[in-house]
Every structure is written in structure tokens, then in C-alpha cells.
Amino acid sequence: MTSYRHTIGQHNYIFQDLKDLMAKASPTRSGDYLAGLGAVNAQERVAAQMALAAVPLKFFLNDLVIPYESDEITRLIIDSHDAYAFETVSHLTVGDFRNWLLSDEADTAALHALSKGLTPEMVAAVSKIMRIQDLVIVSKKCEVISKFRSTIGLRGRLATRLQPNHPTDDAIGIAASIVDGLLNGAGDAVIGINPASDNVAQVTLLIKMLDDIIQQYQIPTQSCVLTHVTNTIMAIESGAPVDLVFQSITGTEAANRSFGIDLNLLSEARDAAISLKRGTVGNNVMYFETGQGSALSAQANFGVDQQTCEARAYAVARHFDPLLVNTVVGFIGPEYLYDSKQIIRAGLEDHFCGKLLDLPMGCDVCYTNHAEADQDDMDVLLTLLGVAGCNFIMGVPGADDIMLNYQTTSFHDALYARRVLGLKPAPEFEMWLRNMGIITDKEMITLSHELPNNFAKALQRLS
């Protein structure tokens, strides 16, 4: 175990190992203080960041934050590391790596070629010494494309998850939200429901309802019911028309086991979904959600700071070649991300780390009502993520999820981001919107005077 040190003035700061150094170098995080891991003051944080900047990247392959023998995520990270891809930056320190990422040499092709040579701990480390503008400009250079019935992640595009949640899974309420979302150009990433009743029978009903809508109106998108992966496997076995398999994941084996999952179970689910062959333009069938603080909330972070744990979750996601990955950045609450400053920073860190690891990253730009944040703060994060090339965001009626009881982004927020930044929906979905008369050649519009022909009887038919 290697200790690290840095001197400021007459004070010599010593960090007992790489795990301690990473935690002390993290920008202020309420969750790290809850875990007793954060720097005691700003001076110690700067000392840790200076010491971290001097650490060679190759050290991360040997000085492991969680032992290889005791954690399957660590084993996945080390066993899947591409030494050939790593050669490009293997001689660099963390600080040198930051400078290289900001250089013109690190273009889209170079970052894609490098991605399999990076470990989550490497990208977490470099993010800790980067400013907001650094995170944005490097993320924007990454282009990660995934496909099922729509193509997500193309440059100049911003997709949305249409999230028609209802507190009683009422078909009329869900259908109303779906129609509202489609008329506002939402749904190209996925139409995804968080079910109120998490049992296989109810999940199967919702899956069939979404499939009926997509098939009847020939919408080039995919559906997902965000239930536990075991429920989705059982739904597939019963003949349900499953498009995407969802699961929340985190960055340690113990935390994932607290969710009732491991790598073998995720592999089984992916194989089951691929066997259905429901994709038309691609076969990326997994949808993962993450969030800083999840490992700590499960008491399974093993002294690793929450942002590094989050980056380790991306190793799990990368292994399964997903269509969608999003950090639900402010959902866990102020115990982990106290205020808007912490939420905004975390959202951009997560997007940056995921993109460097070649993941199709989106973000649930959100907060809970007991956090020190409001919708103005979310507008700031949404705009920054749009500039940074975020693949997709959430779309919820009125930005208020009445089932999960948190604040996120609305259909109109997505319209704002597309308009102000000159972004478009996924290409297949854009063509469908044009054919339906929902958008014009110039910009997105809502047909408030009447519904397009196909939707006139949608609510009645789904009741």
C-alpha cells in the first residue's frame, strides 16, 4: 500500500493510500462527510488535489481502492483493461492526463480509441482536478452512439425519456402523459415507466400496453418498465414483448448484492432480451440508472468516496453494451448532494466519466424537495449538459413526478434545450414527428388546436 504526500507552506499532508487521497481530493460532497471521508478543510483538499495530479496513471492498475480478491467489480475492471489502448496515455500522471484531454490531440476518434484502456478510478481521479468548463469541453468531444429502434447519441441530437409515471399505474393517466409527451417531441430515448406495483403481472400489463402504442402508431422508439431485473426475466419467459431490460446498479459487489443483483444475473437478462430480436436499427438492450451515494446508502462503499464509487458503476454498465445509462443525480437527497452547487458539479462529473468510458450517458436533472436547490438550478445543469453533449434527459409532465415525488425536467425543458442549443431528436424519431405533423421544418411546435389524426382516440382506446 502506497502513501501519498504534499507540502503546503510548513504543513506536510500525508494520505494513507490512493483511496484516502481520492476522497480528500473530491470537491465538497455531503455524502463524503457523512461517511467521514472528506477533507477537513479547503487547504487539505488542495493538497490532496496537488498530490493526486502527480500520481502516474499506471498506479491505478496496482493500487486498488477495493481489493481484487473481494470484489467482482474490481476483477471486472482489471481483467477487462485493454493494455494496448492504454499505451497512448500510460506514461502520463493524472495532471498530465488532464492537460492531454484538453488538447487538440484528444479528439473524438482518439478518445474513443482510448476508452477501453481507462479504468473508472483513472477518470474519477482526473475529474477531481478539473473545472466545470474542463468537464464540459472534454465531454463534448466524446460521441457515444447506441441503437435499438432509434439512434441515440449522434452529435447535434438530444433525446428524451418520456416518463409517464402514475401513482396507481392507471392506464388513462399513463396514456395522457404519453400523448402529451409525444406531442412535445419527447420519447425518442425510451418510453419508460416506473411501476407503482412492482409485481410480474402488473409489469407485464404495462409492457404490453406500451408495446401496443409503439406498434400501432409505428413509433421508432423503445419501451421499458423499470422493474427489478428478475421481474423482467420472468416477463420475458412468459412471452411479454420486452424491449429494454432495466436495472439500477452501483460500483461495488456488496452494494449490487443489496440490490439483489450480480454480474451473472445481468448477463442472463441481457441474453434473454437479445434473444427476442426486437431491435430494428441495433440491438443495445440494457438500460442502467446510477447515482452518487448509492453504495454509501447501502453501507457498502468500503471507504471509497461516492464519486469514485459512481464511476466504478460505469464499468458494470460498459460490460453490457447498453442503449442508455443515466445518473439520477439529485434523487437520493441532500444527505449525499446537499445543494445545487454539489448537484450541478456531480451531474457534470458523472457525464464526463461515463462518456470517457464510452457510455451513452444521459442525466436525470433532478432534486428532492428537501434539498437546497430549485428549478432555476436545474435549468443551469440542463443547459450545461446540453452544451456538453449529453445523450438524453428525462421528460415528465410539469417536471413533477407524481409517483416518485421528486422534481426533474419536463417536456418543455427538453424543447428549450433543443431550441436554444440547436439540437434535434434522434433521426428516426424526428422523421416520425415530421410525418405526424408534430414538428415543422423550422422548429418543434405543439398542435394545440387539434390532435394529429392517429392520436384522436388514443385515450379512449387505452382506457
Side-chain angles (χ1 to χ4, degrees), residues 158-163 175-188 393-399 409-419 423-426 429-430 432-434 436-440 443-448 450-452 455:
L158 176 64
T160 55
R161 170 188 161 191
L162 202 172
Q163 188 169 314
S177 294
I178 291 174
V179 171
D180 187 20
L182 291 172
L183 289 175
N184 282 284
D188 43 346
I393 60 170
M394 306 302 116
V396 175
T409 44
S410 71
F411 306 138
H412 294 89
D413 293 329
L415 289 179
Y416 148 77
R418 284 173 176 166
R419 284 173 171 167
L423 303 172
K424 296 181 179 181
F429 194 75
E430 180 190 7
W432 181 83
L433 291 171
R434 293 186 186 283
M436 292 298 299
I438 296 172
I439 62 173
T440 66
E443 63 176 344
M444 195 78 63
I445 59 171
T446 301
L447 300 182
S448 57
E450 64 180 19
L451 293 176
F455 291 126

Short mmCIF file of all heavy atoms in Angstrom, two decimals, residues 158-163 175-188 393-399 409-419 423-426 429-430 432-434 436-440 443-448 450-452 455:
data_model
loop_
_atom_site.label_atom_id
_atom_site.label_comp_id
_atom_site.label_asym_id
_atom_site.label_seq_id
_atom_site.Cartn_x
_atom_site.Cartn_y
_atom_site.Cartn_z
N LEU A 158 -30.37 15.59 -29.11
CA LEU A 158 -30.67 15.41 -27.69
C LEU A 158 -31.97 14.63 -27.58
O LEU A 158 -33.02 15.09 -28.00
CB LEU A 158 -30.83 16.77 -26.98
CG LEU A 158 -31.25 16.68 -25.50
CD1 LEU A 158 -30.16 16.00 -24.67
CD2 LEU A 158 -31.55 18.07 -24.95
N ALA A 159 -31.88 13.42 -27.04
CA ALA A 159 -33.05 12.56 -26.90
C ALA A 159 -33.68 12.74 -25.51
O ALA A 159 -33.09 13.35 -24.62
CB ALA A 159 -32.65 11.10 -27.12
N THR A 160 -34.89 12.21 -25.36
CA THR A 160 -35.58 12.29 -24.08
C THR A 160 -36.22 10.96 -23.73
O THR A 160 -36.72 10.24 -24.61
CB THR A 160 -36.71 13.35 -24.11
OG1 THR A 160 -37.59 13.07 -25.19
CG2 THR A 160 -36.15 14.74 -24.26
N ARG A 161 -36.18 10.66 -22.44
CA ARG A 161 -37.00 9.56 -21.94
C ARG A 161 -38.37 10.13 -21.58
O ARG A 161 -38.47 11.02 -20.73
CB ARG A 161 -36.38 8.92 -20.69
CG ARG A 161 -37.34 7.95 -20.01
CD ARG A 161 -36.83 7.44 -18.68
NE ARG A 161 -37.93 6.89 -17.89
CZ ARG A 161 -37.84 6.56 -16.61
NH1 ARG A 161 -36.70 6.72 -15.98
NH2 ARG A 161 -38.88 6.08 -15.96
N LEU A 162 -39.40 9.64 -22.23
CA LEU A 162 -40.77 10.01 -21.88
C LEU A 162 -41.16 9.18 -20.65
O LEU A 162 -41.23 7.96 -20.73
CB LEU A 162 -41.72 9.75 -23.05
CG LEU A 162 -43.04 10.50 -23.11
CD1 LEU A 162 -43.74 10.24 -24.44
CD2 LEU A 162 -43.96 10.16 -21.97
N GLN A 163 -41.40 9.85 -19.52
CA GLN A 163 -41.57 9.19 -18.22
C GLN A 163 -43.01 9.39 -17.73
O GLN A 163 -43.29 10.30 -16.96
CB GLN A 163 -40.55 9.79 -17.24
CG GLN A 163 -40.46 9.11 -15.90
CD GLN A 163 -39.25 9.60 -15.11
OE1 GLN A 163 -38.14 9.71 -15.65
NE2 GLN A 163 -39.44 9.91 -13.85
N ALA A 175 -51.55 7.00 -20.38
CA ALA A 175 -51.78 7.32 -21.79
C ALA A 175 -51.80 8.83 -22.02
O ALA A 175 -51.26 9.33 -23.01
CB ALA A 175 -53.08 6.70 -22.26
N ALA A 176 -52.41 9.57 -21.09
CA ALA A 176 -52.46 11.02 -21.23
C ALA A 176 -51.05 11.61 -21.23
O ALA A 176 -50.72 12.50 -22.03
CB ALA A 176 -53.29 11.63 -20.11
N SER A 177 -50.20 11.10 -20.34
CA SER A 177 -48.82 11.58 -20.29
C SER A 177 -48.05 11.22 -21.55
O SER A 177 -47.23 12.00 -22.04
CB SER A 177 -48.11 11.01 -19.06
OG SER A 177 -48.67 11.50 -17.86
N ILE A 178 -48.30 10.03 -22.08
CA ILE A 178 -47.62 9.61 -23.31
C ILE A 178 -48.00 10.51 -24.47
O ILE A 178 -47.15 10.99 -25.23
CB ILE A 178 -47.91 8.13 -23.62
CG1 ILE A 178 -47.25 7.23 -22.58
CG2 ILE A 178 -47.42 7.77 -25.03
CD1 ILE A 178 -47.61 5.76 -22.71
N VAL A 179 -49.30 10.76 -24.62
CA VAL A 179 -49.76 11.63 -25.70
C VAL A 179 -49.16 13.03 -25.54
O VAL A 179 -48.66 13.62 -26.50
CB VAL A 179 -51.29 11.69 -25.74
CG1 VAL A 179 -51.77 12.76 -26.72
CG2 VAL A 179 -51.87 10.33 -26.14
N ASP A 180 -49.20 13.56 -24.32
CA ASP A 180 -48.63 14.88 -24.05
C ASP A 180 -47.16 14.91 -24.44
O ASP A 180 -46.68 15.85 -25.09
CB ASP A 180 -48.82 15.20 -22.56
CG ASP A 180 -48.40 16.61 -22.19
OD1 ASP A 180 -48.32 17.47 -23.09
OD2 ASP A 180 -48.18 16.86 -20.99
N GLY A 181 -46.42 13.88 -24.04
CA GLY A 181 -45.01 13.84 -24.35
C GLY A 181 -44.72 13.74 -25.83
O GLY A 181 -43.88 14.47 -26.37
N LEU A 182 -45.43 12.86 -26.52
CA LEU A 182 -45.21 12.71 -27.96
C LEU A 182 -45.51 14.01 -28.71
O LEU A 182 -44.80 14.38 -29.65
CB LEU A 182 -46.06 11.57 -28.50
CG LEU A 182 -45.66 10.16 -28.05
CD1 LEU A 182 -46.72 9.14 -28.48
CD2 LEU A 182 -44.28 9.76 -28.58
N LEU A 183 -46.56 14.71 -28.29
CA LEU A 183 -46.91 15.97 -28.96
C LEU A 183 -45.88 17.05 -28.70
O LEU A 183 -45.87 18.07 -29.41
CB LEU A 183 -48.29 16.44 -28.50
CG LEU A 183 -49.47 15.60 -29.00
CD1 LEU A 183 -50.78 16.08 -28.38
CD2 LEU A 183 -49.56 15.64 -30.52
N ASN A 184 -45.05 16.87 -27.70
CA ASN A 184 -43.97 17.81 -27.43
C ASN A 184 -42.61 17.27 -27.85
O ASN A 184 -41.57 17.77 -27.43
CB ASN A 184 -43.95 18.18 -25.95
CG ASN A 184 -45.02 19.20 -25.59
OD1 ASN A 184 -44.89 20.38 -25.89
ND2 ASN A 184 -46.10 18.74 -24.97
N GLY A 185 -42.63 16.21 -28.66
CA GLY A 185 -41.39 15.69 -29.22
C GLY A 185 -40.56 14.87 -28.28
O GLY A 185 -39.36 14.67 -28.51
N ALA A 186 -41.15 14.33 -27.21
CA ALA A 186 -40.41 13.52 -26.24
C ALA A 186 -40.62 12.04 -26.51
O ALA A 186 -41.65 11.64 -27.05
CB ALA A 186 -40.85 13.86 -24.81
N GLY A 187 -39.63 11.23 -26.10
CA GLY A 187 -39.80 9.78 -26.18
C GLY A 187 -38.86 9.06 -27.09
O GLY A 187 -38.98 7.84 -27.26
N ASP A 188 -37.89 9.76 -27.69
CA ASP A 188 -37.01 9.07 -28.64
C ASP A 188 -35.98 8.18 -27.96
O ASP A 188 -35.53 7.19 -28.54
CB ASP A 188 -36.31 10.06 -29.58
CG ASP A 188 -35.78 11.29 -28.90
OD1 ASP A 188 -36.16 11.56 -27.75
OD2 ASP A 188 -34.99 12.03 -29.52
N ILE A 393 -32.14 13.26 -21.69
CA ILE A 393 -32.63 13.72 -20.39
C ILE A 393 -34.02 13.15 -20.18
O ILE A 393 -34.57 12.45 -21.04
CB ILE A 393 -32.67 15.26 -20.32
CG1 ILE A 393 -33.60 15.83 -21.40
CG2 ILE A 393 -31.27 15.84 -20.44
CD1 ILE A 393 -33.90 17.30 -21.26
N MET A 394 -34.62 13.44 -19.02
CA MET A 394 -35.96 12.96 -18.71
C MET A 394 -37.01 13.96 -19.19
O MET A 394 -36.76 15.17 -19.25
CB MET A 394 -36.15 12.76 -17.20
CG MET A 394 -35.12 11.88 -16.55
SD MET A 394 -35.02 10.22 -17.22
CE MET A 394 -33.36 10.24 -17.89
N GLY A 395 -38.20 13.45 -19.48
CA GLY A 395 -39.34 14.29 -19.80
C GLY A 395 -40.55 13.84 -19.00
O GLY A 395 -41.07 12.74 -19.20
N VAL A 396 -40.96 14.67 -18.05
CA VAL A 396 -42.07 14.37 -17.15
C VAL A 396 -43.07 15.51 -17.22
O VAL A 396 -42.66 16.67 -17.24
CB VAL A 396 -41.55 14.19 -15.70
CG1 VAL A 396 -42.70 14.00 -14.72
CG2 VAL A 396 -40.59 13.01 -15.62
N PRO A 397 -44.38 15.25 -17.24
CA PRO A 397 -45.36 16.34 -17.28
C PRO A 397 -45.13 17.33 -16.14
O PRO A 397 -45.11 16.95 -14.96
CB PRO A 397 -46.70 15.62 -17.13
CG PRO A 397 -46.45 14.24 -17.63
CD PRO A 397 -45.03 13.93 -17.24
N GLY A 398 -44.91 18.59 -16.48
CA GLY A 398 -44.75 19.62 -15.47
C GLY A 398 -43.50 19.52 -14.64
O GLY A 398 -43.35 20.22 -13.63
N ALA A 399 -42.57 18.65 -15.00
CA ALA A 399 -41.31 18.43 -14.29
C ALA A 399 -41.49 17.86 -12.89
O ALA A 399 -40.55 17.78 -12.12
CB ALA A 399 -40.49 19.74 -14.20
N THR A 409 -36.98 17.21 -15.10
CA THR A 409 -37.18 18.06 -16.26
C THR A 409 -38.47 17.68 -16.98
O THR A 409 -38.87 16.52 -17.00
CB THR A 409 -35.99 17.98 -17.23
OG1 THR A 409 -35.59 16.61 -17.39
CG2 THR A 409 -34.81 18.76 -16.69
N SER A 410 -39.07 18.68 -17.60
CA SER A 410 -40.35 18.50 -18.28
C SER A 410 -40.15 18.34 -19.79
O SER A 410 -39.05 18.51 -20.31
CB SER A 410 -41.26 19.70 -18.02
OG SER A 410 -40.77 20.85 -18.71
N PHE A 411 -41.25 18.05 -20.48
CA PHE A 411 -41.22 18.03 -21.95
C PHE A 411 -40.77 19.39 -22.49
O PHE A 411 -40.02 19.48 -23.46
CB PHE A 411 -42.60 17.69 -22.51
CG PHE A 411 -43.19 16.42 -21.96
CD1 PHE A 411 -44.53 16.36 -21.61
CD2 PHE A 411 -42.42 15.28 -21.77
CE1 PHE A 411 -45.10 15.20 -21.11
CE2 PHE A 411 -42.97 14.11 -21.27
CZ PHE A 411 -44.31 14.08 -20.93
N HIS A 412 -41.24 20.45 -21.85
CA HIS A 412 -40.92 21.79 -22.32
C HIS A 412 -39.47 22.17 -22.02
O HIS A 412 -38.87 22.96 -22.75
CB HIS A 412 -41.88 22.81 -21.69
CG HIS A 412 -43.29 22.62 -22.14
ND1 HIS A 412 -44.16 21.79 -21.49
CD2 HIS A 412 -43.97 23.12 -23.20
CE1 HIS A 412 -45.33 21.79 -22.11
NE2 HIS A 412 -45.23 22.59 -23.15
N ASP A 413 -38.89 21.58 -20.97
CA ASP A 413 -37.47 21.80 -20.72
C ASP A 413 -36.64 21.21 -21.86
O ASP A 413 -35.63 21.79 -22.28
CB ASP A 413 -37.05 21.16 -19.40
CG ASP A 413 -37.67 21.85 -18.20
OD1 ASP A 413 -37.91 23.07 -18.27
OD2 ASP A 413 -37.94 21.16 -17.19
N ALA A 414 -37.04 20.05 -22.35
CA ALA A 414 -36.33 19.44 -23.48
C ALA A 414 -36.47 20.30 -24.73
O ALA A 414 -35.51 20.48 -25.49
CB ALA A 414 -36.87 18.04 -23.74
N LEU A 415 -37.67 20.86 -24.95
CA LEU A 415 -37.86 21.77 -26.08
C LEU A 415 -36.94 22.97 -25.96
O LEU A 415 -36.35 23.43 -26.94
CB LEU A 415 -39.31 22.22 -26.16
CG LEU A 415 -40.35 21.19 -26.60
CD1 LEU A 415 -41.74 21.81 -26.59
CD2 LEU A 415 -40.03 20.65 -27.98
N TYR A 416 -36.85 23.53 -24.75
CA TYR A 416 -35.96 24.67 -24.51
C TYR A 416 -34.53 24.32 -24.90
O TYR A 416 -33.86 25.06 -25.63
CB TYR A 416 -36.02 25.10 -23.04
CG TYR A 416 -34.72 25.65 -22.53
CD1 TYR A 416 -34.33 26.95 -22.85
CD2 TYR A 416 -33.86 24.87 -21.74
CE1 TYR A 416 -33.12 27.46 -22.41
CE2 TYR A 416 -32.66 25.37 -21.29
CZ TYR A 416 -32.28 26.67 -21.63
OH TYR A 416 -31.08 27.16 -21.19
N ALA A 417 -34.03 23.18 -24.40
CA ALA A 417 -32.64 22.81 -24.65
C ALA A 417 -32.39 22.61 -26.14
O ALA A 417 -31.36 23.04 -26.68
CB ALA A 417 -32.29 21.54 -23.87
N ARG A 418 -33.33 21.96 -26.81
CA ARG A 418 -33.17 21.74 -28.25
C ARG A 418 -33.16 23.07 -29.01
O ARG A 418 -32.33 23.28 -29.91
CB ARG A 418 -34.28 20.84 -28.78
CG ARG A 418 -34.10 19.37 -28.42
CD ARG A 418 -35.32 18.54 -28.81
NE ARG A 418 -35.11 17.12 -28.56
CZ ARG A 418 -36.09 16.22 -28.55
NH1 ARG A 418 -37.35 16.60 -28.73
NH2 ARG A 418 -35.81 14.94 -28.32
N ARG A 419 -34.05 23.97 -28.64
CA ARG A 419 -34.16 25.22 -29.38
C ARG A 419 -32.96 26.12 -29.15
O ARG A 419 -32.37 26.67 -30.09
CB ARG A 419 -35.45 25.94 -28.96
CG ARG A 419 -36.70 25.35 -29.58
CD ARG A 419 -37.95 25.98 -29.01
NE ARG A 419 -39.15 25.56 -29.74
CZ ARG A 419 -40.38 25.75 -29.32
NH1 ARG A 419 -40.59 26.34 -28.15
NH2 ARG A 419 -41.41 25.36 -30.04
N LEU A 423 -30.38 21.72 -31.16
CA LEU A 423 -30.33 20.26 -31.15
C LEU A 423 -31.62 19.67 -31.69
O LEU A 423 -32.67 20.31 -31.65
CB LEU A 423 -30.09 19.76 -29.72
CG LEU A 423 -28.83 20.31 -29.03
CD1 LEU A 423 -28.79 19.90 -27.57
CD2 LEU A 423 -27.57 19.85 -29.76
N LYS A 424 -31.54 18.43 -32.16
CA LYS A 424 -32.69 17.74 -32.74
C LYS A 424 -32.93 16.41 -32.03
O LYS A 424 -32.04 15.89 -31.35
CB LYS A 424 -32.46 17.48 -34.23
CG LYS A 424 -32.35 18.73 -35.08
CD LYS A 424 -32.13 18.35 -36.54
CE LYS A 424 -32.04 19.58 -37.42
NZ LYS A 424 -31.85 19.21 -38.86
N PRO A 425 -34.12 15.84 -32.18
CA PRO A 425 -34.36 14.49 -31.66
C PRO A 425 -33.55 13.45 -32.44
O PRO A 425 -32.91 13.76 -33.44
CB PRO A 425 -35.87 14.28 -31.87
CG PRO A 425 -36.43 15.63 -32.19
CD PRO A 425 -35.33 16.42 -32.80
N ALA A 426 -33.61 12.21 -31.98
CA ALA A 426 -32.99 11.10 -32.73
C ALA A 426 -33.54 11.09 -34.15
O ALA A 426 -34.71 11.40 -34.38
CB ALA A 426 -33.29 9.78 -32.03
N PHE A 429 -36.83 9.22 -35.02
CA PHE A 429 -37.94 9.81 -34.30
C PHE A 429 -38.28 11.18 -34.88
O PHE A 429 -39.46 11.54 -34.98
CB PHE A 429 -37.56 9.94 -32.81
CG PHE A 429 -38.71 10.24 -31.89
CD1 PHE A 429 -39.62 9.24 -31.56
CD2 PHE A 429 -38.87 11.49 -31.33
CE1 PHE A 429 -40.67 9.50 -30.69
CE2 PHE A 429 -39.90 11.77 -30.46
CZ PHE A 429 -40.81 10.77 -30.14
N GLU A 430 -37.28 11.92 -35.28
CA GLU A 430 -37.53 13.22 -35.92
C GLU A 430 -38.36 13.04 -37.19
O GLU A 430 -39.30 13.80 -37.45
CB GLU A 430 -36.21 13.92 -36.25
CG GLU A 430 -36.42 15.27 -36.92
CD GLU A 430 -35.14 15.88 -37.47
OE1 GLU A 430 -34.09 15.20 -37.46
OE2 GLU A 430 -35.19 17.03 -37.94
N TRP A 432 -40.43 10.61 -37.85
CA TRP A 432 -41.79 10.25 -37.44
C TRP A 432 -42.56 11.48 -36.99
O TRP A 432 -43.74 11.66 -37.35
CB TRP A 432 -41.72 9.21 -36.32
CG TRP A 432 -43.06 8.74 -35.83
CD1 TRP A 432 -43.85 7.77 -36.38
CD2 TRP A 432 -43.77 9.23 -34.68
NE1 TRP A 432 -45.00 7.64 -35.64
CE2 TRP A 432 -44.99 8.51 -34.60
CE3 TRP A 432 -43.50 10.20 -33.73
CZ2 TRP A 432 -45.93 8.73 -33.59
CZ3 TRP A 432 -44.43 10.43 -32.72
CH2 TRP A 432 -45.63 9.70 -32.66
N LEU A 433 -41.93 12.36 -36.21
CA LEU A 433 -42.59 13.58 -35.76
C LEU A 433 -43.01 14.45 -36.95
O LEU A 433 -44.09 15.05 -36.95
CB LEU A 433 -41.66 14.38 -34.83
CG LEU A 433 -41.37 13.77 -33.46
CD1 LEU A 433 -40.26 14.58 -32.76
CD2 LEU A 433 -42.62 13.73 -32.59
N ARG A 434 -42.15 14.52 -37.95
CA ARG A 434 -42.49 15.31 -39.14
C ARG A 434 -43.65 14.67 -39.89
O ARG A 434 -44.57 15.36 -40.33
CB ARG A 434 -41.26 15.44 -40.04
CG ARG A 434 -40.15 16.27 -39.45
CD ARG A 434 -39.02 16.50 -40.44
NE ARG A 434 -37.90 17.17 -39.81
CZ ARG A 434 -37.83 18.46 -39.51
NH1 ARG A 434 -38.86 19.24 -39.80
NH2 ARG A 434 -36.77 18.97 -38.93
N MET A 436 -45.97 12.91 -38.70
CA MET A 436 -47.19 13.07 -37.91
C MET A 436 -47.66 14.52 -37.86
O MET A 436 -48.74 14.80 -37.34
CB MET A 436 -46.95 12.58 -36.48
CG MET A 436 -46.76 11.08 -36.36
SD MET A 436 -48.20 10.14 -36.89
CE MET A 436 -49.41 10.73 -35.75
N GLY A 437 -46.87 15.43 -38.36
CA GLY A 437 -47.24 16.84 -38.32
C GLY A 437 -47.00 17.50 -36.98
O GLY A 437 -47.55 18.58 -36.71
N ILE A 438 -46.17 16.89 -36.14
CA ILE A 438 -45.92 17.45 -34.81
C ILE A 438 -44.83 18.51 -34.86
O ILE A 438 -44.83 19.45 -34.07
CB ILE A 438 -45.55 16.32 -33.83
CG1 ILE A 438 -46.75 15.37 -33.66
CG2 ILE A 438 -45.13 16.86 -32.48
CD1 ILE A 438 -46.46 14.12 -32.86
N ILE A 439 -43.90 18.41 -35.80
CA ILE A 439 -42.90 19.45 -35.97
C ILE A 439 -42.90 19.93 -37.41
O ILE A 439 -43.30 19.21 -38.33
CB ILE A 439 -41.49 18.99 -35.56
CG1 ILE A 439 -41.00 17.84 -36.44
CG2 ILE A 439 -41.43 18.60 -34.11
CD1 ILE A 439 -39.54 17.47 -36.19
N THR A 440 -42.44 21.17 -37.58
CA THR A 440 -42.32 21.76 -38.90
C THR A 440 -40.86 21.66 -39.33
O THR A 440 -40.01 21.12 -38.62
CB THR A 440 -42.74 23.23 -38.87
OG1 THR A 440 -41.79 23.95 -38.05
CG2 THR A 440 -44.14 23.39 -38.29
N GLU A 443 -38.89 24.27 -36.52
CA GLU A 443 -38.74 24.03 -35.10
C GLU A 443 -39.87 23.19 -34.57
O GLU A 443 -40.86 22.94 -35.25
CB GLU A 443 -38.67 25.35 -34.33
CG GLU A 443 -39.93 26.18 -34.44
CD GLU A 443 -39.87 27.45 -33.59
OE1 GLU A 443 -39.01 27.53 -32.72
OE2 GLU A 443 -40.69 28.34 -33.82
N MET A 444 -39.74 22.77 -33.32
CA MET A 444 -40.77 21.99 -32.65
C MET A 444 -41.98 22.86 -32.35
O MET A 444 -41.85 23.97 -31.88
CB MET A 444 -40.20 21.43 -31.36
CG MET A 444 -41.02 20.32 -30.74
SD MET A 444 -40.75 18.76 -31.57
CE MET A 444 -39.02 18.48 -31.25
N ILE A 445 -43.18 22.34 -32.62
CA ILE A 445 -44.39 23.05 -32.24
C ILE A 445 -45.37 22.06 -31.62
O ILE A 445 -45.31 20.87 -31.88
CB ILE A 445 -45.08 23.73 -33.45
CG1 ILE A 445 -45.44 22.70 -34.53
CG2 ILE A 445 -44.20 24.81 -34.04
CD1 ILE A 445 -46.31 23.26 -35.63
N THR A 446 -46.26 22.56 -30.78
CA THR A 446 -47.33 21.75 -30.24
C THR A 446 -48.62 22.09 -30.97
O THR A 446 -48.97 23.26 -31.10
CB THR A 446 -47.53 22.03 -28.74
OG1 THR A 446 -46.30 21.75 -28.06
CG2 THR A 446 -48.62 21.16 -28.15
N LEU A 447 -49.33 21.08 -31.46
CA LEU A 447 -50.58 21.32 -32.19
C LEU A 447 -51.72 21.45 -31.18
O LEU A 447 -52.46 20.52 -30.93
CB LEU A 447 -50.84 20.18 -33.17
CG LEU A 447 -49.76 19.97 -34.25
CD1 LEU A 447 -50.14 18.85 -35.18
CD2 LEU A 447 -49.51 21.25 -35.03
N SER A 448 -51.84 22.64 -30.61
CA SER A 448 -52.80 22.82 -29.54
C SER A 448 -54.24 22.87 -30.05
O SER A 448 -55.18 22.61 -29.31
CB SER A 448 -52.50 24.12 -28.79
OG SER A 448 -52.49 25.22 -29.67
N GLU A 450 -55.67 20.93 -32.37
CA GLU A 450 -56.24 19.59 -32.54
C GLU A 450 -55.14 18.54 -32.49
O GLU A 450 -53.97 18.84 -32.73
CB GLU A 450 -56.98 19.48 -33.87
CG GLU A 450 -56.09 19.64 -35.09
CD GLU A 450 -56.85 19.53 -36.40
OE1 GLU A 450 -58.08 19.68 -36.39
OE2 GLU A 450 -56.20 19.26 -37.42
N LEU A 451 -55.51 17.32 -32.15
CA LEU A 451 -54.54 16.24 -32.13
C LEU A 451 -54.28 15.76 -33.55
O LEU A 451 -55.18 15.77 -34.39
CB LEU A 451 -55.06 15.06 -31.31
CG LEU A 451 -55.23 15.28 -29.81
CD1 LEU A 451 -55.85 14.02 -29.19
CD2 LEU A 451 -53.93 15.60 -29.13
N PRO A 452 -53.05 15.31 -33.85
CA PRO A 452 -52.83 14.64 -35.13
C PRO A 452 -53.76 13.43 -35.26
O PRO A 452 -54.22 12.86 -34.27
CB PRO A 452 -51.37 14.20 -35.05
CG PRO A 452 -50.75 15.18 -34.09
CD PRO A 452 -51.82 15.47 -33.08
N PHE A 455 -53.85 10.18 -33.00
CA PHE A 455 -53.99 10.27 -31.57
C PHE A 455 -55.40 10.64 -31.10
O PHE A 455 -55.67 10.67 -29.90
CB PHE A 455 -53.00 11.29 -31.00
CG PHE A 455 -51.58 10.84 -31.10
CD1 PHE A 455 -50.63 11.63 -31.71
CD2 PHE A 455 -51.20 9.60 -30.60
CE1 PHE A 455 -49.32 11.21 -31.81
CE2 PHE A 455 -49.88 9.18 -30.70
CZ PHE A 455 -48.94 9.98 -31.31
#
